[in-house]
Amino acid sequence: KKGSVVDNSSLAYLRTNVVSGHVTKTSHLELRVEYCGRNSFSVRHKEEKYNLLAEQVKAAAFDRFKDRWMTVIACNGEAAQIPGAPFASKPADNSHKKTSARLGAFEMELFWTDSTGKKRGTVLHSKLLTRSFPRVHQVLDDLADALDPNIDPQERL
């Protein structure tokens, strides 16, 4: 299914952190959405579609993960710089510059600080890699499965 696939290796990495206890129900999760919500010279680029989808991601994530400590950060190139964001431009003097989302981007990433204090992250969806928009509810369902605190005995091996 085009657009619905979440990188399984990415979710496996997250799942191993859940199983090992590095990500718990009380871990602060940060869902970052980088999207191109700006005008383009391309006649195929629909700015409204990106903006609407970003709003859908935020609303669905808040609804789906209301029992977790999750922050959703959406960056469309007009927002102020997000410290530590891998997609943020980092000029030497960033006091006058803004984050610039990549043209055509709709990237969904999850970040957390594990129990050892290390910042970790995983890609949930990349439009730049798949060339398709995410199926928001499928991505969030897959994320919820990876975050499920119930651990099967074979996962402990």
Side-chain angles (χ1 to χ4, degrees):
K1 294 180 240 176
K2 193 173 183 181
S4 67
V5 179
V6 177
D7 182 356
N8 286 333
S9 63
S10 180
L11 285 178
Y13 174 67
L14 174 60
R15 185 67 189 162
T16 59
N17 276 266
V18 171
V19 170
S20 66
H22 291 297
V23 176
T24 66
K25 193 88 164 164
T26 60
S27 297
H28 177 224
L29 305 173
E30 188 175 285
L31 177 63
R32 293 185 187 166
V33 180
E34 171 199 2
Y35 65 100
C36 183
R38 60 184 171 165
N39 286 326
S40 163
F41 291 111
S42 170
V43 293
R44 295 182 60 203
H45 182 79
K46 303 287 187 239
E47 179 181 350
E48 306 80 31
K49 182 173 184 170
Y50 288 82
N51 291 326
L52 179 62
L53 192 58
E55 289 302 315
Q56 288 174 352
V57 169
K58 288 195 300 191
F62 283 129
D63 185 54
R64 179 68 193 245
F65 299 105
K66 57 184 148 221
D67 62 332
R68 285 195 170 268
W69 183 20
M70 180 181 283
T71 304
V72 180
I73 298 174
C75 174
N76 70 353
E78 296 176 8
Q81 177 138 354
I82 301 168
F87 51 80
S89 57
K90 294 193 178 216
D93 175 23
N94 59 7
S95 60
H96 65 285
K97 296 203 177 187
K98 294 186 176 188
T99 301
S100 180
R102 295 169 286 180
L103 188 60
F106 201 95
E107 314 302 295
M108 295 174 65
E109 300 170 303
L110 185 75
F111 292 89
W112 67 92
T113 303
D114 70 16
S115 60
T116 65
K118 285 187 171 181
K119 187 83 166 174
R120 306 284 185 171
T122 190
V123 175
L124 301 175
H125 180 82
S126 172
K127 181 178 175 289
L128 294 176
L129 293 176
T130 64
R131 300 180 69 154
S132 63
F133 285 99
R135 289 184 166 178
V136 174
H137 290 287
Q138 182 65 48
V139 171
L140 296 179
D141 286 348
D142 291 346
L143 175 58
D145 289 345
L147 291 170
D148 185 356
N150 299 316
I151 299 168
D152 293 331
Q154 68 268 19
E155 286 183 297
R156 292 200 187 273
L157 300 176

